[in-house]
C-alpha cells in the first residue's frame, strides 16, 4: 500500500518547493516509493481530524498502514530506514549521515526560518531593520562553516544521503536572499541537489498542485 502524505492545498510559496512536503516527496522519489497526497486548506490543518495526526496542526504528515508520523525529519528518516538509497549500509557512515540530518534541521534551519519570519511576518515592526542584519549574520556564520566542511566535495559525507537531501532543502529557502550566492560552493551544492531526477519529479508534483497541471508521464 502506498503511503499518504499531506501538503498545502494552496502553498504560500506558490509552488516554489519550499514547503516541507517537498523534502518528503523528494525522499520518496529517491527511493522509488509511489505515494498519495491529501491536500489540506489552512482551516483543515487546524481541525481535530488533522491534529490527531499532527499535534501542531501542520503539514507534512505521513500515513502508512497503522503508522502515522509528523515532522518532516522523522518522516524522511523513516523512509531512509525502510528503503535503500538514502543512508549508507556501513554503520559508522550511516551514523554520520544521520548526524547531517540533525545538523540540517537543528543547526542550519533555525536561523534560516528566523530570517523568513523577520523578513515577512515582522517586516512592519519598527525594530525589523535592526534585527534582520543580525539574523543574516547568524546565517552567514553557519554557511561559512558548512562551506568550509564541504570543501571541494560533492556531498557532505561520501555518497548523497538523507543528510544532503535535508540540507539542500533547508538551504533552498535562502534563494533570492542573496546569502547563498556569497558561498559559491554551497550554491553549487544546492544546484547539484536540484538537478537530481528525483528532486525534479518531486518539484513537478508539488508545482502541479499550484498550477493545476499534473506532470506528464
Ligand atoms: N518542524 C516541522 C515544521 C512543519 C511546518 O512548519 N510546516 C509548515 C509548512 S512548511 C506549516 O504547516 N505551516 C502552517 C502552520 O504552521 O500553520 C517539520 O519539519 O515538519
Amino acid at each position: 500500500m502506498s503511503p499518504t502524505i499531506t501538503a498545502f492545498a494552496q502553498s504560500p510559496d506558490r509552488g516554489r518547493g519550499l514547503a516541507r512536503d517537498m523534502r518528503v516527496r523528494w525522499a520518496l522519489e529517491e527511493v522509488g516509493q509511489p505515494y498519495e497526497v491529501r491536500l489540506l486548506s489552512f482551516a483543515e490543518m487546524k481541525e481535530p481530524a488533522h491534529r490527531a495526526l499532527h499535534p501542531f496542526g501542520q503539514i507534512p504528515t505521513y500515513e502508512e498502514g497503522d503508522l502515522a508520523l509528523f515532522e518532516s525529519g522523522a518522516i524522511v528518516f523513516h523512509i531512509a530506514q525502510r528503503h535503500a538509497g538514502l543512508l549508507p549500509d556501513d554503520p559508522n557512515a550511516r551514523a554520520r549521515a544521520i548526524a547531517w540530518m540533525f545538523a540540517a534541521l537543528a543547526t542550519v534551519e533555525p536561523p534560516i526560518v528566523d530570517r523568513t519570519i523577520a523578513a515577512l511576518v515582522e517586516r512592519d515592526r519598527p525594530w525589523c531593520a535592526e534585527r534582520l542584519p543580525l539574523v543574516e549574520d547568524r546565517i552567514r556564520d553557519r554557511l561559512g562553516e558548512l562551506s568550509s566542511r564541504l570543501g571541494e566535495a560533492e556531498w557532505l559525507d561520501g555518497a548523497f544521503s538523507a543528510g544532503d537531501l535535508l540540507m539542500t532543502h533547508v538551504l533552498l529557502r535562502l534563494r533570492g536572499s542573496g546569502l547563498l550566492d556569497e558561498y559559491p560552493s554551497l550554491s553549487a551544492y544546492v544546484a547539484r541537489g536540484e538537478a537530481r531526477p528525483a528532486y525534479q519529479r518531486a518539484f513537478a508534483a508539488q508545482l502541479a498542485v499550484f498550477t493545476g497541471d499534473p506532470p506528464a508521464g
Side-chain angles (χ1 to χ4, degrees):
M1 190 209 312
S2 300
T4 299
I5 68 167
T6 51
F8 283 131
Q10 284 181 308
S11 181
D13 78 348
R14 304 168 67 86
R16 286 188 299 142
L18 301 180
R20 289 170 179 85
D21 60 293
M22 177 62 200
R23 40 184 86 159
V24 175
R25 293 174 184 269
W26 185 7
L28 289 163
E29 292 287 354
E30 287 284 350
V31 302
Q33 168 67 60
Y35 60 98
E36 308 287 330
V37 183
R38 189 166 66 251
L39 301 175
L40 298 173
S41 67
F42 274 89
E44 286 167 335
M45 284 163 49
K46 307 302 174 193
E47 283 172 9
H50 185 65
R51 281 195 192 272
L53 293 172
H54 197 309
F56 308 114
Q58 298 180 312
I59 60 98
T61 57
Y62 176 99
E63 292 156 83
E64 182 187 28
D66 56 6
L67 173 68
L69 289 174
F70 62 99
E71 282 296 334
S72 59
I75 297 169
V76 170
F77 189 32
H78 171 75
I79 295 165
Q81 298 260 57
R82 285 281 168 98
H83 303 270
L86 283 172
L87 286 174
D89 291 335
D90 172 73
N92 286 356
R94 194 176 183 93
R96 289 195 304 273
I98 293 167
W100 279 115
M101 295 178 70
F102 278 85
L105 301 180
T107 303
V108 179
E109 184 167 49
I112 293 176
V113 171
D114 218 12
R115 183 188 174 279
T116 304
I117 293 168
L120 297 179
V121 183
E122 299 171 350
R123 72 177 163 214
D124 296 331
R125 301 299 177 104
W127 34 261
C128 182
E130 282 184 73
R131 178 165 139 74
L132 193 55
L134 300 178
V135 175
E136 293 193 335
D137 279 346
R138 284 204 291 276
I139 295 173
R140 284 190 182 91
D141 288 344
R142 290 296 178 241
L143 297 184
E145 290 155 343
L146 188 62
S147 164
S148 298
R149 171 53 78 98
L150 181 66
E152 301 295 314
E154 195 176 8
W155 306 113
L156 288 166
D157 193 327
F160 177 84
S161 77
D164 294 297
L165 184 153
L166 290 175
M167 191 66 81
T168 302
H169 192 250
V170 160
L171 294 176
L172 269 166
R173 193 178 277 253
L174 290 175
R175 179 152 292 153
S177 72
L179 287 167
L180 203 54
D181 304 328
E182 295 174 23
Y183 302 86
S185 70
L186 292 184
S187 294
Y189 170 72
V190 168
R192 278 194 290 279
E194 287 178 294
R196 293 179 72 82
Y199 177 94
Q200 298 287 327
R201 289 193 296 273
F203 186 88
Q206 63 79 42
L207 180 61
V209 175
F210 184 75
T211 61
D213 289 330

PDB file of all heavy atoms in Angstrom, residues 10-21:
ATOM      1  N   GLN A  10      -3.053  25.139  -0.949  1.00  0.00           N
ATOM      2  CA  GLN A  10      -2.593  26.388  -1.582  1.00  0.00           C
ATOM      3  C   GLN A  10      -1.325  26.830  -0.875  1.00  0.00           C
ATOM      4  O   GLN A  10      -1.375  27.507   0.157  1.00  0.00           O
ATOM      5  CB  GLN A  10      -3.659  27.461  -1.469  1.00  0.00           C
ATOM      6  CG  GLN A  10      -4.796  27.237  -2.445  1.00  0.00           C
ATOM      7  CD  GLN A  10      -5.832  28.313  -2.336  1.00  0.00           C
ATOM      8  OE1 GLN A  10      -6.321  28.600  -1.244  1.00  0.00           O
ATOM      9  NE2 GLN A  10      -6.172  28.908  -3.459  1.00  0.00           N
ATOM     10  N   SER A  11      -0.203  26.437  -1.445  1.00  0.00           N
ATOM     11  CA  SER A  11       1.053  26.721  -0.763  1.00  0.00           C
ATOM     12  C   SER A  11       1.374  28.214  -0.823  1.00  0.00           C
ATOM     13  O   SER A  11       1.294  28.830  -1.884  1.00  0.00           O
ATOM     14  CB  SER A  11       2.189  25.932  -1.413  1.00  0.00           C
ATOM     15  OG  SER A  11       3.381  26.198  -0.724  1.00  0.00           O
ATOM     16  N   PRO A  12       1.755  28.794   0.325  1.00  0.00           N
ATOM     17  CA  PRO A  12       2.095  30.225   0.328  1.00  0.00           C
ATOM     18  C   PRO A  12       3.283  30.537  -0.575  1.00  0.00           C
ATOM     19  O   PRO A  12       3.465  31.676  -0.988  1.00  0.00           O
ATOM     20  CB  PRO A  12       2.459  30.509   1.792  1.00  0.00           C
ATOM     21  CG  PRO A  12       1.978  29.334   2.584  1.00  0.00           C
ATOM     22  CD  PRO A  12       1.854  28.181   1.646  1.00  0.00           C
ATOM     23  N   ASP A  13       4.104  29.547  -0.899  1.00  0.00           N
ATOM     24  CA  ASP A  13       5.280  29.827  -1.751  1.00  0.00           C
ATOM     25  C   ASP A  13       4.943  29.715  -3.239  1.00  0.00           C
ATOM     26  O   ASP A  13       5.834  29.795  -4.075  1.00  0.00           O
ATOM     27  CB  ASP A  13       6.447  28.915  -1.373  1.00  0.00           C
ATOM     28  CG  ASP A  13       6.314  27.505  -1.931  1.00  0.00           C
ATOM     29  OD1 ASP A  13       5.222  27.148  -2.426  1.00  0.00           O
ATOM     30  OD2 ASP A  13       7.303  26.765  -1.883  1.00  0.00           O
ATOM     31  N   ARG A  14       3.681  29.492  -3.557  1.00  0.00           N
ATOM     32  CA  ARG A  14       3.213  29.437  -4.937  1.00  0.00           C
ATOM     33  C   ARG A  14       3.962  28.380  -5.760  1.00  0.00           C
ATOM     34  O   ARG A  14       4.325  28.603  -6.910  1.00  0.00           O
ATOM     35  CB  ARG A  14       3.331  30.817  -5.604  1.00  0.00           C
ATOM     36  CG  ARG A  14       2.586  31.908  -4.833  1.00  0.00           C
ATOM     37  CD  ARG A  14       2.942  33.290  -5.310  1.00  0.00           C
ATOM     38  NE  ARG A  14       2.476  33.558  -6.659  1.00  0.00           N
ATOM     39  CZ  ARG A  14       1.270  34.009  -6.978  1.00  0.00           C
ATOM     40  NH1 ARG A  14       0.395  34.231  -6.028  1.00  0.00           N
ATOM     41  NH2 ARG A  14       0.953  34.235  -8.226  1.00  0.00           N
ATOM     42  N   GLY A  15       4.231  27.250  -5.121  1.00  0.00           N
ATOM     43  CA  GLY A  15       4.821  26.125  -5.852  1.00  0.00           C
ATOM     44  C   GLY A  15       6.318  26.193  -6.036  1.00  0.00           C
ATOM     45  O   GLY A  15       6.872  25.501  -6.899  1.00  0.00           O
ATOM     46  N   ARG A  16       7.006  27.001  -5.203  1.00  0.00           N
ATOM     47  CA  ARG A  16       8.470  27.073  -5.348  1.00  0.00           C
ATOM     48  C   ARG A  16       9.184  25.917  -4.636  1.00  0.00           C
ATOM     49  O   ARG A  16      10.410  25.866  -4.605  1.00  0.00           O
ATOM     50  CB  ARG A  16       8.991  28.428  -4.844  1.00  0.00           C
ATOM     51  CG  ARG A  16       8.670  29.565  -5.833  1.00  0.00           C
ATOM     52  CD  ARG A  16       9.351  30.860  -5.423  1.00  0.00           C
ATOM     53  NE  ARG A  16       8.904  31.306  -4.124  1.00  0.00           N
ATOM     54  CZ  ARG A  16       9.693  31.867  -3.203  1.00  0.00           C
ATOM     55  NH1 ARG A  16      10.984  32.032  -3.441  1.00  0.00           N
ATOM     56  NH2 ARG A  16       9.201  32.272  -2.051  1.00  0.00           N
ATOM     57  N   GLY A  17       8.417  25.032  -4.047  1.00  0.00           N
ATOM     58  CA  GLY A  17       9.024  23.831  -3.454  1.00  0.00           C
ATOM     59  C   GLY A  17       9.611  24.056  -2.083  1.00  0.00           C
ATOM     60  O   GLY A  17      10.418  23.256  -1.621  1.00  0.00           O
ATOM     61  N   LEU A  18       9.222  25.136  -1.413  1.00  0.00           N
ATOM     62  CA  LEU A  18       9.808  25.430  -0.107  1.00  0.00           C
ATOM     63  C   LEU A  18       9.033  24.798   1.048  1.00  0.00           C
ATOM     64  O   LEU A  18       9.576  24.646   2.140  1.00  0.00           O
ATOM     65  CB  LEU A  18       9.906  26.948   0.101  1.00  0.00           C
ATOM     66  CG  LEU A  18      10.745  27.677  -0.965  1.00  0.00           C
ATOM     67  CD1 LEU A  18      10.788  29.169  -0.670  1.00  0.00           C
ATOM     68  CD2 LEU A  18      12.158  27.096  -1.015  1.00  0.00           C
ATOM     69  N   ALA A  19       7.778  24.437   0.814  1.00  0.00           N
ATOM     70  CA  ALA A  19       7.001  23.800   1.892  1.00  0.00           C
ATOM     71  C   ALA A  19       7.626  22.432   2.186  1.00  0.00           C
ATOM     72  O   ALA A  19       8.236  21.794   1.323  1.00  0.00           O
ATOM     73  CB  ALA A  19       5.540  23.670   1.486  1.00  0.00           C
ATOM     74  N   ARG A  20       7.453  21.993   3.422  1.00  0.00           N
ATOM     75  CA  ARG A  20       8.213  20.818   3.869  1.00  0.00           C
ATOM     76  C   ARG A  20       7.681  19.492   3.334  1.00  0.00           C
ATOM     77  O   ARG A  20       8.324  18.462   3.539  1.00  0.00           O
ATOM     78  CB  ARG A  20       8.291  20.826   5.392  1.00  0.00           C
ATOM     79  CG  ARG A  20       9.218  21.930   5.911  1.00  0.00           C
ATOM     80  CD  ARG A  20       9.067  22.050   7.409  1.00  0.00           C
ATOM     81  NE  ARG A  20       9.927  23.047   8.009  1.00  0.00           N
ATOM     82  CZ  ARG A  20       9.645  24.346   8.096  1.00  0.00           C
ATOM     83  NH1 ARG A  20       8.542  24.829   7.547  1.00  0.00           N
ATOM     84  NH2 ARG A  20      10.470  25.169   8.702  1.00  0.00           N
ATOM     85  N   ASP A  21       6.540  19.496   2.663  1.00  0.00           N
ATOM     86  CA  ASP A  21       6.159  18.251   1.982  1.00  0.00           C
ATOM     87  C   ASP A  21       7.159  17.937   0.876  1.00  0.00           C
ATOM     88  O   ASP A  21       7.342  16.782   0.502  1.00  0.00           O
ATOM     89  CB  ASP A  21       4.746  18.346   1.395  1.00  0.00           C
ATOM     90  CG  ASP A  21       4.619  19.467   0.384  1.00  0.00           C
ATOM     91  OD1 ASP A  21       4.710  20.644   0.785  1.00  0.00           O
ATOM     92  OD2 ASP A  21       4.467  19.174  -0.820  1.00  0.00           O
TER      93      ASP A  21
END
